[in-house]
Amino acid sequence: MTNNQKATTAVRACLLAACALLVAGPVPARAAALPQSPPGDWLYVTVTRGDARTGDPRTGDPRTGDVRSGDTRGALLLCDPPQGHAHAARACEELRAAHGDVGRIPLKETFCPMVYAPVSATARGEWGGRPITYEETFANSCALTARTGAVFALPEGPR
């Protein structure tokens, strides 16, 4: 066997080994990377004081222009059985009546002050086997509660 034949055989063996690793290697890595979602109906809800979409550009991310308030609270709302925050049972009842659609929760008749103190609410999760995404900014926390009921009734953070 000449040196040229030995080199060709070595290259072929390395290519064959690399192909075998590519085929077998990624499968366990992908399986390990998939997160387990909680069983049943659930939402991860957050409330951010201040308008999460606007603000002082000097304090935002210079690469994206994203400006966010520093006061964000969140909770994992589980509904089988209800748990996650103090009003979980009522929030889950309201969500069941709206088939998991936060935007379909009936508006509560209440009088809210005409004060602009924006709050942004987000929810991401799964309801009835389908993905749920909700994002809205309200004029104040009274308007948030009137529109979304107990879903975003998280305890106040420190001021």
Side-chain angles (χ1 to χ4, degrees), residues 131-153:
I132 299 293
T133 302
Y134 177 84
E135 194 168 341
E136 186 73 37
T137 298
F138 298 89
N140 54 48
S141 58
C142 178
L144 166 69
T145 303
R147 187 68 199 97
T148 63
V151 175
F152 296 99

Side-chain angles (χ1 to χ4, degrees), residues 11-131:
V11 168
R12 286 182 182 161
C14 286
L15 286 174
L16 183 61
C19 288
L21 286 174
L22 286 174
V23 170
V27 174
R30 272 187 286 175
L34 294 175
Q36 288 288 338
S37 62
D41 298 328
W42 63 275
L43 292 177
Y44 182 73
V45 297
T46 63
V47 176
T48 303
R49 191 175 309 156
D51 193 340
R53 295 175 294 182
T54 63
D56 185 351
R58 293 172 293 173
T59 60
D61 185 335
R63 295 168 292 152
T64 63
D66 190 23
V67 179
R68 299 224 176 241
S69 169
D71 181 20
T72 299
R73 297 165 283 132
L76 179 61
L77 175 63
L78 302 170
C79 288
D80 295 320
Q83 56 187 325
H85 64 66
H87 304 284
R90 194 173 68 185
C92 291
E93 182 180 306
E94 291 169 336
L95 284 165
R96 278 189 195 97
H99 304 287
D101 186 350
V102 178
R104 291 182 60 189
I105 294 174
L107 179 65
K108 312 297 182 281
E109 288 193 32
T110 186
F111 293 101
C112 290
M114 298 282 291
V115 175
Y116 187 69
V119 270
S120 297
T122 64
R124 301 209 184 333
E126 191 173 292
W127 197 274
R130 63 183 170 82

